[in-house]
Amino acid sequence: MNHLDPQRHVRGESQYLDDVPTQQGTLFAAVFESPLAHGVLVNLDLSAALAAPGVVRILTADDIPGDNQIGGIVPDEPLLAHGHVHFRGQPVALVLARHEHQAHAALKLIKVDIEPLPIITDPRVAAAQGELIVPPRTFKIGDSAATWASCAHVFEGVAESGGQEHLYIETQGAYAFPTEMGGVRIISSTQGPTAVQRHTAHVLGLGMHQVEVDVTRLGGGFGGKEDQATPWGALAALGAYCTKKPVKLVLDRMADMRMTGKRHPYSSDFKIGLDKDLRIVAYEVTFFQNAGAAADLSPAVMERTLFHATNSYFVPNVTATAFSCRTNLPPNTAFRGFGGPQGMFVIESAIAKAAEELGIPACEIQRKNLLRENDLFSYRQPAEMCHAEQAWDTAAKEFDLAGTRAEVEQFNQQNKLQKKGLAVMPICFGISFTKTPMNQARALVHIYSDGSVGVSTGAVEMGQGVNTKIAHVAARTLGISVNRVKVESTNTTRVANTSPSAASATADLNGKATEMACAALRERLLRHACTEYTLNYEGLEIRDEQVLAAGVPAETDWEKLVSSAFWKRVALTENAHYATPDLHFDAATNQGHPFAYHVYGTAITTVTVDCLRGTYTVDALRIAHDFGQSFNEVIDRGQIEGGAVQGIGWMTMEEIAYNAEGRLLSNSLNSYKIPDIYAAPKVLDVHFLDTPGHPKAILRSKAVGEPPLMYGIGTYFALRDAVRAFQPRTALPFSAPMTPEKVLVSLYPEFSAAETGWNATAVGTPASIAS
Amino acid sequence: MSQFTQPTLERPPMALAPTQAVSLNINGKAHTLQIAPWTTLLDALREYLDLTGTKKGCDHGQCGACTVLVDGKRINSCLSLAVMQEGSEIQTIEGLGSEDNLSPLQQAFIDHDAFQCGYCTPGQICSAQGLLNEGRATTEAEVRELMSGNLCRCGAYSNILSAVMEVLGNKGAEAAGSQATPKKESKEGARQWAAGAASQSVPPVEPAK
Ligand code: FES
Ligand code: FES
């Protein structure tokens, strides 16, 4: 079961932010955004808007009582623009009105004078001009430069991957209420309640204890609400603080798409060297990350790109460098995979390039170079409990790789205008926040005197099923029915200083804390039982709500035990803190042991391309995945399927386009396509690998949120394979997404020799499509 | 939560917008609203009737989250004005099945775990109900085609498909006059299940070793 309370979901009773009943006197907020991507803010004329019906107040940077700053890693992001604007869609003013439509109507009456400054949208241009968010980083092992001469084969190339809209179906928003102590309470649709709390306190000049953030559930997050829920929470809070009225701010879909950042587009240079046995001996890569106008999480995303630059391959000599480039686009941010997929796409491109040049299937190189036990990653952590080869070989056997390949070849011989393609995509993903201090969590567990249990943690439920997992951990540890357990909303006053629900680590961290709290309570109750009922503590346990002494039912059960413990004044509340052990990483040397463990898997993708139209279908996606000892196969399977579909979207149909002025062209679901039920793979098989799991994973059930997204990369390479079957010698740049338009152009290069723009860099270049 | 969830005592004044009385029949109940004529059906449901089960995902007819049934036909309620639906029977997710008698689709969505975050779910279910009413789809391919207007960013598509196919299959079987397939018992007794309830309808979980 995925949900603690599925009835509410199917009856439409689950409350999301926008469903919270409106409190009397609520003001509705709308954000006035910069119409230019870069410039000096000369004048802001609010007079007409202020006179508009229903408008109560308009707030600007000058109304901020504290510090106008919400940058998390680098303090480079004002809440409301002041002096300069740095991207189109940057919040400049907040209109507060009696009704939502009045607030939106007033936006059109605001006049702004901006002196334009040059606009950069291309990360390589930004890097050339020294526009970097943070200094570049290099991960290095061995000596790649010294190895090239001894390589049998060396290939170089460029790989581009595009951005991706999060497109959570619930848009961003927050609802803030003034509290009587002069603070604010915010109901926020955020993955990071503490981030909203900290930045709001900073903006309002308050202590964090004056700001309460509460989250019930999200209608999707995918990373888009990790740091980028903060502006809306802080703006609503600013409104509530300044007017002493509740303020609700919900972005409409197009505003959300215009104003929020996306997955980072990357443009990368690679060089790969193989020996005569096709072993990868050297790999050099330079990543140019398009960070947008402010740091947001970009430095951390960039770091994870470097961690995953070699995917699940062992390469003895690696030099990987990354530049986080400042451009005049909305700050790009976390998205499932967090830079990992972008890194993996490049090495897969490098391998594909080598295979194509050598005239062999890519999987020959892939299989030969998979990680083995104790192989070192470039950051010096060894691959422990490594299942890379097992995943590959199991997938090949379970899903008959050889037979599938033969089928594809046969089909391609028999069909002229339809071609099939095949690709194998192994993955390896490190679990933990790469910033070690973030790997901590707390749980607060109450046992009520009637035997029911309330659990609070820092985990945010956004569809990934974390609340269900936590409830099961609590029930299992206490030996009671999960029916007795309620997982409370995520609230900063109950559990403080939380890490965001991100990095696939939420269930591990918060689950472990819950397990610790429940174990402490169980021990306390059993100690009590042993004195109360004169039992021997050894062999005492609670199972199926019954107290067992050496396996024999004692004269007490859960309810009686709890009740008697209460009357004997035994503490029935526990607060536990978990910090993942043995993690360390030195960001100066780029070495250490940043991950609790790695997750492995392999996907086999087959596609069919219609060679007249360039359209295609994903026929099958077959995955062998290392779940460890999954304790909720339904949730875990759902995460694999959903993640893979999102990855396929990123690699195929989801194309973000900005023009040279930094205006988002793909600004609604009309011009930005995400997978629908028709686009989802026809066959989606998930095989649970037989692996022992990892002791640092909750109940040895490995983290499952992000890794499956990268299976989608296989679709890109399967499409290339199909295109090659039709057009063997066409020059195919490594440029994702592989939209049907791009496929068509690749199928008929002779008709598209004139610059079409499809092969240009992923972002910002097709200036000709400008408004 | 209590201090923030009290129901609205009074609607915010609508300022200059002229309003008119609009009578709507929703889930078998008649309502008369005083609203601006340009109010969408979606906003009328959510903001004036507190029927927040119908979700707003895009407000532009592009995502399907706002799907409701009007005289049994599915529509995007964000693309329809409330005034246009006077005299029609409007059915929303709140009116499909009841608390202790879920509609077959609602039950199938639970049984097949056809959602993750749940935000698209009311729209998916109403759309699937419309699909059943239309009686046009019989195969998986047709269901895919005719449900492609309902986006699910969590990607629960394969389970959505199997949930719809199950109900479609049962319905087909009934229509063919054959014995109605006995209703599949929910895998984990999800039907009786409620978070925080102390009932013992679900067996206790394995204890830790
Ligand atoms: S809200 Fe109506 S279709 Fe998206
Ligand atoms: S379940 Fe999240 S959008 Fe469908």
Side-chain angles (χ1 to χ4, degrees):
Chain A
M1 175 176 7
N2 192 341
H3 291 270
L4 283 175
D5 205 352
Q7 284 226 18
R8 293 178 62 85
H9 272 12
V10 299
R11 300 204 66 230
E13 290 172 345
S14 299
Q15 206 175 61
Y16 300 82
L17 171 79
D18 199 23
D19 306 333
V20 174
T22 312
Q23 205 179 44
Q24 189 177 14
T26 293
L27 299 177
F28 293 86
V31 181
F32 178 75
E33 44 188 298
S34 171
L36 284 189
H38 194 196
V40 181
L41 198 53
V42 181
N43 188 39
L44 195 60
D45 179 359
L46 305 173
S47 51
L50 278 168
V55 173
V56 172
R57 199 157 166 192
I58 301 178
L59 301 170
T60 65
D62 295 335
D63 295 298
I64 291 176
D67 194 0
N68 181 17
Q69 184 50 249
I70 55 166
I73 298 178
V74 181
D76 65 351
E77 190 177 356
L79 177 63
L80 288 169
H82 188 66
H84 280 79
V85 290
H86 295 280
F87 64 94
R88 231 177 136 117
Q90 182 175 358
V92 176
L94 187 74
V95 178
L96 302 172
R98 303 295 299 270
H99 200 279
E100 200 171 0
H101 71 85
Q102 292 170 327
H104 282 109
L107 291 180
K108 304 196 175 74
L109 301 173
I110 296 179
K111 285 196 208 71
V112 64
D113 285 336
I114 296 174
E115 223 171 80
L117 290 169
I119 292 164
I120 303 177
T121 58
D122 184 327
R124 288 184 189 253
V125 173
Q129 299 185 9
E131 287 288 343
L132 299 180
I133 300 272
V134 285
R137 301 261 305 262
T138 299
F139 281 26
K140 196 168 184 323
I141 192 167
D143 188 349
S144 54
T147 316
W148 300 121
S150 62
C151 290
H153 316 281
V154 177
F155 304 100
E156 289 178 74
V158 177
E160 316 264 359
S161 62
Q164 186 176 26
E165 255 326 316
H166 299 86
L167 240 137
Y168 25 65
I169 305 291
E170 178 204 35
T171 55
Q172 304 263 10
Y175 196 178
F177 308 84
T179 61
E180 57 179 5
M181 304 295 286
V184 284
R185 181 178 199 271
I186 311 168
I187 303 178
S188 171
S189 177
T190 180
Q191 294 172 243
T194 294
V196 175
Q197 179 195 27
R198 184 173 52 238
H199 293 298
T200 300
H202 196 66
V203 162
L204 298 182
L206 299 173
M208 282 169 76
H209 65 312
Q210 286 280 45
V211 180
E212 175 185 350
V213 178
D214 190 88
V215 187
T216 304
R217 60 170 68 78
L218 311 189
F222 316 117
K225 295 172 182 171
E226 183 176 341
D227 248 32
Q228 300 222 342
T230 300
W232 327 113
L235 283 171
L238 177 68
Y241 185 83
C242 291
T243 61
K244 298 279 168 278
K245 294 236 186 307
V247 170
K248 183 171 177 180
L249 170 60
V250 175
L251 298 189
D252 64 64
R253 174 61 60 193
M254 289 179 76
D256 188 307
M257 292 177 83
R258 278 196 310 272
M259 298 168 76
T260 67
K262 301 144 202 338
R263 180 189 295 286
H264 294 80
Y266 275 62
S267 178
S268 316
D269 298 325
F270 63 79
K271 184 171 180 184
I272 191 168
L274 298 96
D275 67 14
K276 61 177 186 353
D277 298 324
L278 301 180
R279 268 182 222 296
I280 306 174
V281 284
Y283 181 56
E284 277 181 12
V285 56
T286 307
F287 300 105
F288 296 92
Q289 176 201 53
N290 191 335
D296 193 272
L297 292 165
S298 299
V301 171
M302 174 182 99
E303 189 181 50
R304 197 174 267 274
T305 303
L306 292 168
F307 281 119
H308 294 300
T310 50
N311 190 10
S312 62
Y313 308 109
F314 172 63
V315 186
N317 300 288
V318 179
T319 308
T321 301
F323 294 85
S324 182
C325 311
R326 194 185 295 276
T327 59
N328 298 112
L329 300 179
N332 286 319
T333 192
F335 196 138
R336 207 174 195 169
F338 205 76
Q342 290 97 318
M344 294 185 194
F345 178 72
V346 182
I347 190 153
E348 292 301 328
S349 296
I351 291 173
K353 167 105 182 176
E356 284 169 14
E357 299 276 339
L358 296 170
I360 55 169
C363 49
E364 272 185 39
I365 301 176
Q366 290 174 304
R367 173 66 187 85
K368 196 158 276 180
N369 289 283
L370 290 173
L371 284 161
R372 300 213 180 111
E373 196 67 20
N374 287 325
D375 279 346
L376 282 189
F377 290 97
S378 69
Y379 44 93
R380 305 299 193 280
Q381 179 169 343
E384 292 163 329
M385 304 178 75
C386 176
H387 303 294
E389 293 189 320
Q390 183 192 354
W392 180 289
D393 294 341
T394 308
K397 186 161 153 273
E398 287 291 323
F399 306 127
D400 189 15
L401 179 57
T404 312
R405 182 195 313 288
E407 266 170 46
V408 166
E409 271 164 22
Q410 194 190 7
F411 179 93
N412 287 346
Q413 270 162 16
Q414 290 165 355
N415 291 274
K416 235 180 127 193
L417 292 176
Q418 292 216 350
K419 294 291 179 193
K420 281 191 188 291
L422 167 78
V424 188
M425 180 68 199
I427 62 146
C428 164
F429 199 76
I431 302 302
S432 285
F433 287 99
T434 52
K435 193 154 191 62
T436 303
M438 291 173 76
N439 294 290
Q440 54 173 317
R442 277 150 296 276
L444 174 66
V445 179
H446 299 313
I447 301 176
Y448 294 95
S449 55
D450 65 352
S452 59
V453 175
V455 181
S456 295
T457 70
V460 171
E461 175 60 55
M462 46 191 170
Q464 84 281 45
V466 70
N467 280 1
T468 313
K469 287 189 173 179
I470 284 172
H472 277 265
V473 167
R476 199 190 273 224
T477 312
L478 293 171
I480 58 174
S481 159
V482 75
N483 284 345
R484 290 193 186 270
V485 183
K486 176 174 178 230
V487 180
E488 304 284 355
S489 69
T490 316
N491 187 299
T492 54
T493 65
R494 262 179 277 116
V495 179
N497 309 323
T498 61
S499 290
S501 287
S504 308
T506 314
D508 278 358
L509 294 173
N510 295 282
K512 288 271 189 190
T514 304
E515 192 182 18
M516 285 167 70
C518 291
L521 285 165
R522 181 185 61 199
E523 183 185 335
R524 205 177 292 154
L525 284 168
L526 290 178
R527 293 257 174 231
H528 165 73
C530 121
T531 40
E532 189 71 11
Y533 303 97
T534 43
L535 299 165
N536 189 354
Y537 184 77
E538 288 309 313
L540 210 52
E541 59 176 328
I542 310 169
R543 183 186 294 190
D544 298 354
E545 312 231 328
Q546 179 62 45
V547 177
L548 301 179
V552 180
E555 59 192 290
T556 185
D557 62 10
W558 173 256
E559 278 186 18
K560 285 190 206 141
L561 181 63
V562 167
S563 171
S564 89
F566 171 74
W567 289 111
K568 287 286 151 66
R569 298 186 291 174
V570 173
L572 292 175
T573 289
E574 185 64 26
N575 180 22
H577 176 259
Y578 174 75
T580 318
D582 309 323
L583 296 185
H584 56 92
F585 183 71
D586 181 348
T589 59
N590 295 322
Q591 293 182 17
H593 193 105
F595 298 115
Y597 56 88
H598 288 86
V599 170
Y600 299 88
T602 296
I604 300 176
T605 310
T606 45
V607 299
T608 305
V609 171
D610 176 333
C611 299
L612 280 178
R613 298 182 181 84
T615 53
Y616 46 75
T617 50
V618 181
D619 302 329
L621 177 60
R622 298 190 163 99
I623 299 166
H625 186 84
D626 162 29
F627 294 89
Q629 301 288 306
S630 173
F631 69 97
N632 194 320
E633 295 200 359
V634 173
I635 291 182
D636 287 350
R637 184 183 295 268
Q639 287 297 299
I640 296 291
E641 294 179 353
V645 168
Q646 238 168 28
I648 291 174
W650 174 51
M651 282 284 113
T652 60
M653 66 187 76
E654 298 188 34
E655 187 175 43
I656 291 190
Y658 287 97
N659 69 5
E661 280 105 53
R663 188 169 83 93
L664 181 68
L665 303 175
S666 51
N667 62 353
S668 78
L669 277 161
N670 274 354
S671 43
Y672 185 79
K673 183 162 171 53
I674 66 168
D676 56 26
I677 195 168
Y678 203 70
K682 300 280 169 281
V683 174
L684 215 175
D685 286 340
V686 181
H687 176 85
F688 285 63
L689 274 185
D690 184 16
T691 64
H694 197 280
K696 285 181 194 149
I698 180 68
L699 304 178
R700 304 189 81 95
S701 174
K702 283 187 164 184
V704 73
E706 291 169 288
L709 186 123
M710 284 143 277
Y711 292 132
I713 296 173
T715 309
Y716 174 87
F717 290 97
L719 286 170
R720 270 181 85 88
D721 192 42
V723 168
R724 284 238 178 263
F726 181 81
Q727 190 60 268
R729 267 167 302 282
T730 184
L732 271 181
F734 292 97
S735 167
M738 193 77 159
T739 57
E741 291 89 338
K742 237 186 246 176
V743 170
L744 192 62
V745 166
S746 326
L747 290 169
Y748 301 99
E750 63 276 25
F751 294 116
S752 47
E755 260 320 302
T756 54
W758 294 117
N759 300 340
T761 45
V763 158
T765 35
S768 51
I769 328 172
S771 60
Chain B
M1 292 289 286
S2 58
Q3 76 243 53
F4 303 110
T5 50
Q6 55 187 273
T8 314
L9 299 176
E10 163 197 86
R11 294 289 165 199
M14 293 289 297
L16 301 177
T19 61
Q20 65 181 64
V22 175
S23 301
L24 296 175
N25 191 332
I26 298 163
N27 299 330
K29 270 203 216 117
H31 299 266
T32 301
L33 307 178
Q34 197 63 38
I35 52 176
W38 38 259
T39 306
T40 63
L41 177 58
L42 176 60
D43 286 347
L45 292 171
R46 290 184 55 86
E47 288 172 25
Y48 295 86
L49 292 159
D50 292 330
L51 290 170
T52 53
T54 309
K55 303 298 181 201
K56 185 183 280 188
C58 68
D59 217 16
H60 285 82
Q62 299 161 350
C63 73
C66 65
T67 309
V68 300
L69 297 161
V70 172
D71 294 330
K73 291 204 184 74
R74 48 187 172 156
I75 64 162
N76 288 331
S77 61
C78 69
L79 289 186
S80 173
L81 300 182
V83 283
M84 294 160 64
Q85 305 305 342
E86 281 191 309
S88 312
E89 287 282 340
I90 299 160
Q91 204 178 12
T92 69
I93 189 71
E94 290 92 345
L96 277 184
S98 62
E99 185 145 16
D100 31 41
N101 188 20
L102 294 179
S103 82
L105 270 169
Q106 287 172 320
Q107 188 60 52
F109 267 62
I110 293 178
D111 294 345
H112 291 263
D113 208 55
F115 44 86
Q116 289 178 23
C117 77
Y119 209 74
C120 70
T121 310
Q124 300 278 4
I125 293 178
C126 286
S127 184
Q129 186 61 53
L131 178 91
L132 294 177
N133 297 350
E134 290 157 17
R136 281 199 286 154
T138 50
T139 64
E140 270 200 17
E142 286 162 347
V143 171
R144 279 175 184 270
E145 176 67 35
L146 294 168
M147 287 291 292
S148 62
N150 288 80
L151 298 178
C152 174
R153 188 46 152 169
C154 298
Y157 292 127
S158 61
N159 295 346
I160 292 171
L161 185 65
S162 55
V164 177
M165 288 310 293
E166 180 192 301
V167 179
L168 201 62
N170 290 347
K171 205 183 153 195
E174 278 166 42
S178 63
Q179 283 259 350
T181 35
K183 200 150 169 309
K184 209 181 77 192
E185 260 313 301
S186 152
K187 277 170 248 162
E188 298 177 57
R191 212 160 169 5
Q192 304 83 27
W193 210 90
S199 87
Q200 293 302 303
S201 56
V202 176
V205 204
E206 275 277 290
K209 295 289 138 53

